[in-house]
Every structure is written in structure tokens, then in C-alpha cells.
Amino acid sequence: MTTTRSAADSAAHGIGVSLRTFLAVLWRDVFVTGRELGPFLAQVVIQPFFMLFIFGKVLTGIGYVDDSFVQILLPGIVALNGFVVALQNTTMPLVMDFSWTREIEDRLLAPMPIPLVAIEKMLFGAIRGTVAALLMIPVGFLMLEGIHWPASAWPGIVGMIVLGSLAGAAIGMTIGTLINPRRINIMFAVILIPLMFTGSTQFPWHALEHLRWFQVVCAINPLTYVSEGMRDLLIGDEVKSIPLWLDIPIILVALAIFGAIGIKGFMRRALD
């Protein structure tokens, strides 16, 4: 009886140490981001700002796009920013840690299991993605005219942003552990750009019915369900969107699959 209790106490102590170490490492990464706030803001705001400006301001201003298009565009750009920033901020640190800086070795020596190191990397990337997505909301409201987001939708919006950022981070973990560091530049051209433009961020998915092959391609991209989920929350009555009851399970499945592949790849790289 005493032996069993001692084993349970030891296991509980080990879990407590791992959890405290996990939170300490995560807080360190967040703190470093706070000290590098200027470069971080430049990284996450400039590209989506110009996408909003060109598609939402210039094209509507010269009459090539209807004024109501901004209601479709802004949710997609917010979803895109969270997803892509989470992906990039998971992939790039992994590539650097495993190839040049070798900082990952210090983390692997920390008193927590190796899978928790990978989860911390993904969670930190998702935090950055969530912040990046939330930053684009006031930018869009200030830049674009005719934006109306009901207050009742805000909890769902934040939840969808967090979920999309986690999915982006999981895909980033998979890419960062499976692709050779010397080919990382090719990765952005071959993987990231197609992800950005097949995620239904600038157009509603159902509008592609007459371009069936491209609609199928977009349906494979998890980002599509983040964009469509945002639209379903905000303008579901005005524009036909993929419903939330379908968006959320698909995003969760993508998160589970890519998260598992990414953690397995991380452990393989860490133990090499």
C-alpha cells in the first residue's frame, strides 16, 4: 500500500515538474516576443494590410468589385493571417533550431517529455497566429467601409481564430520536421503560396460551383474551413457558407492528424 502511494506521489510530482517547465518555457518565448514587438508586428501586419488595401479598397474604389465584397474579404483575411502566421512561426524556429542555432538541445534537456517540447512549439506558434489575426480586425474596420460584425458572434470568432491558428501550427510542425532545412525556401513557394490561395480567403467556397476542380482543391485545404467558419458566424444569412457543424470537426481532424505527424517527426529529429 505504501509502495503504491509512493509511486503515485512520484508520478504526480513528475507531472507537476513537467507542467511547470512547460509553462516556464512557453512564458520565456512569449516574453521574447514582447521584446521584439516591432519586428513581429511588421511581419504579421504588412502583407495582409496590402491584401485588404488592394482587394477591399482599391478594387471597390474603382468599381471592379462590389462594395459588399468587403464583408466576404475581411473574415477570410483574418483567418488567413492567423493560420499562416502560426504555420510560419512554428516552421521557421524549428528549421533554425535543428540546423543552425541548435537551441533545441537546451529545450530537450529540460525536465519534461520530448512530446511536450513539440506541443510547446505548436502552442507558441498558435499564440502568435491568434494575436496576428486579432490585430487585423481593427485594421480592417478602420480601412474598409460597411463592415458590420454582430456582438453575439465575437466569442465564436475568437474560438475559430484560435482553432485555425492551432491547425496552422500543427501543419507548421509537420513541415518543419519533415522538410530538409536546405529546401525550406522551396517549401514556401511549393506549399505556402498554394495554401494561401486555395483557402477560400478571398472568395466564398460555394461560389466555385462552376469551377468544380478548383472547388475540390480548396476543399482539401484546412484553411478553407476556417475562412468559411468565420463567414458562417458573421454573414451566414447573406452568403452561403460551409456550416459550422462541418467546419469545426474538419479543422479538429486536421489538427489531430498533422499534430500527430508533426510530434512524431519532432521526436525522430530530436533523437537522431
Side-chain angles (χ1 to χ4, degrees), residues 185-195:
N185 291 331
I186 300 174
M187 180 277 295
F188 282 103
V190 174
I191 299 177
L192 187 59
I193 300 301
L195 272 177

Side-chain angles (χ1 to χ4, degrees), residues 212-224:
R212 181 66 68 179
W213 70 268
F214 189 61
Q215 189 178 46
V216 172
V217 170
C218 291
I220 299 171
N221 188 346
L223 176 55
T224 291

Side-chain angles (χ1 to χ4, degrees), residues 50-61 65-67 69-70 73 143-145:
F50 278 101
M51 290 184 73
L52 280 179
F53 180 71
I54 297 299
F55 287 102
K57 197 74 175 175
V58 175
L59 294 182
T60 56
V65 176
D66 189 85
D67 290 342
F69 176 64
V70 295
L73 179 66
M143 183 187 303
L144 306 176
E145 298 178 2

Side-chain angles (χ1 to χ4, degrees), residues 68-127:
S68 62
F69 176 64
V70 295
Q71 292 279 33
I72 295 172
L73 179 66
L74 183 56
I77 296 299
V78 171
L80 172 68
N81 212 34
F83 188 92
V84 170
V85 169
L87 188 154
Q88 289 178 317
N89 281 270
T90 305
T91 299
M92 293 309 298
L94 277 174
V95 171
M96 294 177 66
D97 289 350
F98 277 120
S99 55
W100 300 303
T101 66
R102 305 301 299 176
E103 184 182 337
I104 198 67
E105 294 176 358
D106 294 335
R107 294 173 184 258
L108 294 175
L109 292 173
M112 62 178 175
I114 293 176
L116 274 185
V117 180
I119 292 171
E120 188 277 333
K121 286 282 190 181
M122 288 190 288
L123 184 56
F124 176 60
I127 290 172

